[in-house]
Amino acid sequence: MGDVIHTPEDVEDKLDLALLGVVPRAEDMTPLEALEEPKSPISEAYNSLRGALLYLTPHGLPKIIAVTSAQAHEGKSTTSLAIATGFARNGMRPLLIDADLRRPALHKVLGIAGERGLTDLLVSQDDPKSAVVKVKGRKIDLLPAGPLPPSPSELLSSPRMAQLLEHFAQSHDVVIVDSPPVLGLADAPMLAAIADGTVFVVEAERGRSGYLKAALRRLRSMKPVLLGAVLAKFDPTRSGNRYSAYYGYDYYQYSSGERRTKA
């Protein structure tokens, strides 16, 4: 158990990564529902992450940000969507790209048809904007994954992928790329190499530093710009009262309960 990532300090001490944000576990609702509530602990956590990204480099916000994790279901797709939504609320025009050409999820989460998307653009010279859809109520653009190809790694490593990212970086204020997980696949390291920066998502209480370090070694083999890590699904109550207070968990839990009582 000493190898498990429990606390925010573990991210920096065991993985030697800068901590960009800490996102609490969703309580009594799905993460997507929590994002709809501006004052929920999850929304506040992602607002803090957005602020960190805005001033992360001397040049400000990286133009193309890849989001990945060591393995599936650690929260990378939710984090990608939350980052894009946060920038949209800030008055920016973000593009969210589902680059997980093996298990795409964003079109399902957002209730959008995914018949056409990134794959179609990678195998053709079609106008890039022809596959982009506007997400109603969120003020963000989405490029779904599209049809599942037989060889995702070949498509994602093609010159066409780099050309598309460069095009979208000019047409949008920021491009968020939801990448596949790192372990067992070549996709994420290649996407990280052509992005301006990469965010690494770690699930609290699940991630073991051994396999996380192995994933980070694979990423670093492509010499990407690793912006830092996000600790997702963190339960402050399991890690001591000092985390509940420090990360504002108690304050926002009280605020939510107060609204429900008055309602």
Side-chain angles (χ1 to χ4, degrees):
M1 292 301 292
D3 193 36
V4 175
I5 304 299
H6 297 286
T7 67
E9 285 81 0
D10 286 341
V11 172
E12 297 178 322
D13 295 341
K14 296 180 180 181
L15 301 181
D16 193 26
L17 275 179
L19 183 67
L20 297 175
V22 179
V23 181
R25 185 176 297 276
E27 299 287 348
D28 304 323
M29 62 181 75
T30 67
L32 192 62
E33 290 171 337
L35 286 174
E36 298 293 338
E37 173 55 59
K39 289 299 182 181
S40 71
I42 286 183
S43 288
E44 292 290 345
Y46 280 120
N47 286 341
S48 178
L49 171 60
R50 177 191 64 198
L53 291 173
L54 280 171
Y55 303 102
L56 193 59
T57 74
H59 307 290
L61 177 69
K63 196 73 173 179
I64 303 170
I65 302 174
V67 181
T68 189
S69 58
Q71 58 184 352
H73 309 302
E74 293 199 64
K76 67 176 182 60
S77 294
T78 299
T79 297
S80 300
L81 175 58
I83 292 174
T85 301
F87 286 137
R89 289 174 177 169
N90 209 35
M92 302 175 68
R93 186 187 179 197
L95 172 67
L96 179 59
I97 298 179
D98 193 341
D100 191 339
L101 301 185
R102 300 170 191 270
R103 293 183 178 178
L106 289 174
H107 70 285
K108 297 177 184 177
V109 171
L110 295 170
I112 292 174
E115 289 84 1
R116 180 171 170 76
L118 176 60
T119 300
D120 298 278
L121 298 181
L122 289 172
V123 298
S124 71
Q125 292 298 317
D126 291 352
D127 186 346
K129 67 181 180 182
S130 65
V132 174
V133 295
K134 293 188 177 298
V135 181
K136 293 182 180 179
R138 289 184 178 271
K139 298 181 180 179
I140 66 174
D141 291 339
L142 171 70
L143 177 59
L148 300 185
S151 53
S153 296
E154 290 183 12
L155 290 182
L156 294 174
S157 62
S158 67
R160 175 66 171 165
M161 183 66 195
Q163 292 169 3
L164 288 172
L165 288 180
E166 183 178 352
H167 171 87
F168 288 128
Q170 295 175 1
S171 63
H172 291 74
D173 295 321
V174 61
V175 178
I176 313 298
V177 183
D178 182 19
S179 303
V182 176
L183 291 181
L185 303 173
D187 308 6
M190 291 186 296
L191 289 170
I194 57 178
D196 295 328
T198 298
V199 173
F200 191 70
V201 179
V202 178
E203 180 181 348
E205 306 298 334
R206 179 189 181 195
R208 293 184 175 274
S209 61
Y211 81 74
L212 292 172
K213 288 179 180 178
L216 288 169
R217 281 195 297 271
R218 291 200 65 187
L219 274 180
R220 287 176 171 137
S221 68
M222 300 298 289
K223 303 188 183 305
V225 177
L226 276 174
L227 301 175
V230 174
L231 184 64
K233 305 180 185 180
F234 175 63
D235 186 353
T237 61
R238 293 186 58 183
S239 302
N241 291 333
R242 65 193 182 99
Y243 289 104
S244 296
Y246 183 77
Y247 290 102
Y249 182 84
D250 289 339
Y251 178 82
Y252 286 108
Q253 284 294 99
Y254 171 79
S255 176
S256 299
E258 185 181 52
R259 286 197 304 272
R260 286 194 292 268
T261 301
K262 289 181 179 179

